[in-house]
Amino acid sequence: MSKKQPKGEYIETDTGNKVSRRSQIIGTTNIILGGKTVIQAEVIIRGDLLRTYPPSNPSEKQGNTVAVAIGRYCFFSRGCELRPPGKLYKGQFSHYPLKIADHVFVGPSSIIEAALIGSHVNIGASVVVGKFAIIKDYVRILDGSVVPPNMVIPSFSVVAGRPARVVGEIAEGEVDGMDLREVYRGVGNA
């Protein structure tokens, strides 16, 4: 009789991503994970929300479209949701890609609909990032903030409030603490 290994909380992919068995990843063919990313339980990633309008150039193919692109060493906490932003364009509603760079931490119960999130970004718990927001590199968004749609957050900013605004800046010494490699190593099927 063969002994089956017990199933752990996380499924580990070939590129080192650790994905909870209790997460909801919809439209997996339209999601790119860069590697060494942790997706905790109850996280929802909506890869099924795609561009629907035809390409502007008729010779372009409507090939394999990307709804959500995620870089390396990202950490998505329990209960957060990643959705590509959407809007009306030429009378037709369409979604646009959500791009997340490296070393991005998203806190529990946060909802992200940004267009772009740069590297080394820390998003707190219960944060709402509005449609088409652009978050540059080395940004910390404090717990409970509501980032309005289309807001551009400059690099090295600390953001808080409802609606969110820049309330400070990240000091040089704080930049070193925004590397998520150690957090990644601490997650496993213990």
Side-chain angles (χ1 to χ4, degrees):
M1 193 184 281
S2 65
K3 274 190 167 182
K4 278 192 171 182
Q5 286 195 343
K7 288 185 178 179
E9 166 73 19
Y10 293 95
I11 300 167
E12 190 161 345
T13 66
D14 293 341
T15 54
N17 298 302
K18 296 177 182 178
V19 181
S20 172
R21 294 179 188 280
R22 295 184 292 145
S23 62
Q24 294 180 37
I25 301 175
I26 305 159
T28 54
T29 56
N30 306 317
I31 299 170
I32 295 175
L33 294 176
K36 305 209 184 301
T37 289
V38 176
I39 300 172
Q40 288 194 320
E42 300 167 24
V43 170
I44 300 170
I45 301 178
R46 295 293 306 268
D48 60 329
L49 303 177
L50 296 169
R51 283 185 147 177
T52 53
Y53 68 88
S56 56
N57 184 352
S59 63
E60 278 182 38
K61 291 180 183 168
Q62 190 79 14
N64 190 10
T65 54
V66 175
V68 180
I70 299 170
R72 296 174 59 79
Y73 292 106
C74 293
F75 190 96
F76 301 106
S77 300
R78 179 180 296 270
C80 72
E81 183 174 354
L82 306 176
R83 289 194 291 241
K87 68 177 180 180
L88 274 175
Y89 177 74
K90 294 184 179 176
Q92 188 173 6
F93 188 83
S94 184
H95 289 278
Y96 294 81
L98 163 59
K99 294 182 180 167
I100 299 174
D102 302 337
H103 298 276
V104 174
F105 178 89
V106 178
S109 303
S110 292
I111 298 172
I112 310 298
E113 283 192 273
L116 177 68
I117 299 176
S119 293
H120 301 278
V121 172
N122 186 313
I123 298 172
S126 302
V127 170
V128 176
V129 177
K131 294 179 179 181
F132 297 101
I134 296 175
I135 302 169
K136 302 282 180 100
D137 298 342
Y138 296 101
V139 170
R140 177 171 285 127
I141 301 175
L142 302 180
D143 294 352
S145 300
V146 177
V147 176
N150 303 309
M151 181 177 185
V152 177
I153 301 174
S155 296
F156 300 99
S157 298
V158 177
V159 176
R162 293 177 176 216
R165 59 187 180 85
V166 177
V167 295
E169 59 184 47
I170 292 178
E172 280 185 44
E174 289 182 76
V175 168
D176 297 334
M178 298 179 94
D179 191 304
L180 293 177
R181 288 173 215 214
E182 288 303 317
V183 175
Y184 168 80
R185 289 185 194 113
V187 174
N189 291 320

